[in-house]
Amino acid sequence: MIRTAALAAVAAVMATWSMPATTAYARPPGMRPSYYMWLYDCFAISASTGTIDTVNVLQSATGSDLELIGTITPCLRPEPLQAFGVATYSATTAVGDAAAYQLSDQATQPYQKRVPVKPGEHAACLLTSETIRLACVSIGWVTVDDVARPVVEGPLPVDSPLVAALPVVDMFRSWVPIGPVCPGCP
């Protein structure tokens, strides 16, 4: 019981570190922001695992996206609002986005996550927190018709210096009702 409370506290602190300032989102009247929490870190018990099986490069008029597809096997059964993330890394910074882990009776779950990628970014990783990378891929760039386009070069070790930057991950989920119009809300 104490270990579960400690894990929840660690997850809450880690989620707080990655929360964007609430001023970044226009607050609708009677609503408050809701944030995802990272999947639990099981420390020495066992580790969550994940794969990047396929990476699709998607081009649009506004830029390039990477779509990562694979599986995640969490070390503990996830709870609602727990999330994984995908981050992209440049030489000095990293940014990412979280997505809800799909709850199921199956231990291993497929995922599919799309993130924007910009010139200068050289890697993308599957995360279960800002500091836990489950799998990474290397990204190169080619110029086609005077436009820089990403090319996936292959797997990259999760401890590579190329992915050492601590990513800033958007953990925003949605707006939820507050106040007297929402019985049971805080």
Side-chain angles (χ1 to χ4, degrees):
M1 183 66 156
I2 293 172
R3 183 161 179 80
T4 302
L7 289 173
V10 168
V13 167
M14 292 179 80
T16 301
W17 288 341
S18 65
M19 284 184 192
T22 55
T23 57
Y25 302 99
R27 179 183 171 143
M31 304 289 272
R32 69 174 168 84
S34 172
Y35 297 94
Y36 289 117
M37 296 182 316
W38 288 114
L39 285 170
Y40 292 128
D41 179 6
C42 300
F43 303 103
I45 297 171
S46 66
S48 295
T49 59
T51 64
I52 299 174
D53 300 326
T54 305
V55 181
N56 297 316
V57 176
L58 308 169
Q59 296 295 144
S60 71
T62 59
S64 302
D65 288 348
L66 295 180
E67 179 184 56
L68 281 67
I69 301 168
T71 60
I72 300 173
T73 305
C75 57
L76 289 174
R77 182 177 176 84
E79 296 183 22
L81 302 185
Q82 284 193 310
F84 67 95
V86 172
T88 55
Y89 295 78
S90 70
T92 57
T93 62
V95 295
D97 191 33
Y101 183 83
Q102 300 301 311
L103 301 178
S104 168
D105 292 335
Q106 302 297 317
T108 300
Q109 288 294 307
Y111 74 89
Q112 182 174 351
K113 180 69 179 150
R114 185 175 176 168
V115 292
V117 62
K118 298 176 189 80
E121 294 176 331
H122 53 252
C125 294
L126 172 64
L127 314 169
T128 56
S129 80
E130 291 94 341
T131 59
I132 300 175
R133 296 175 296 276
L134 302 182
C136 299
V137 292
S138 177
I139 302 167
W141 290 86
V142 297
T143 302
V144 177
D145 297 328
D146 295 326
V147 176
R149 298 187 187 271
V151 176
V152 178
E153 296 177 329
L156 183 68
V158 296
D159 59 354
S160 168
L162 295 176
V163 294
L166 190 64
V168 175
V169 179
D170 185 356
M171 299 295 283
F172 179 76
R173 180 177 166 268
S174 65
W175 292 101
V176 294
I178 58 173
V181 296
C182 177
C185 291

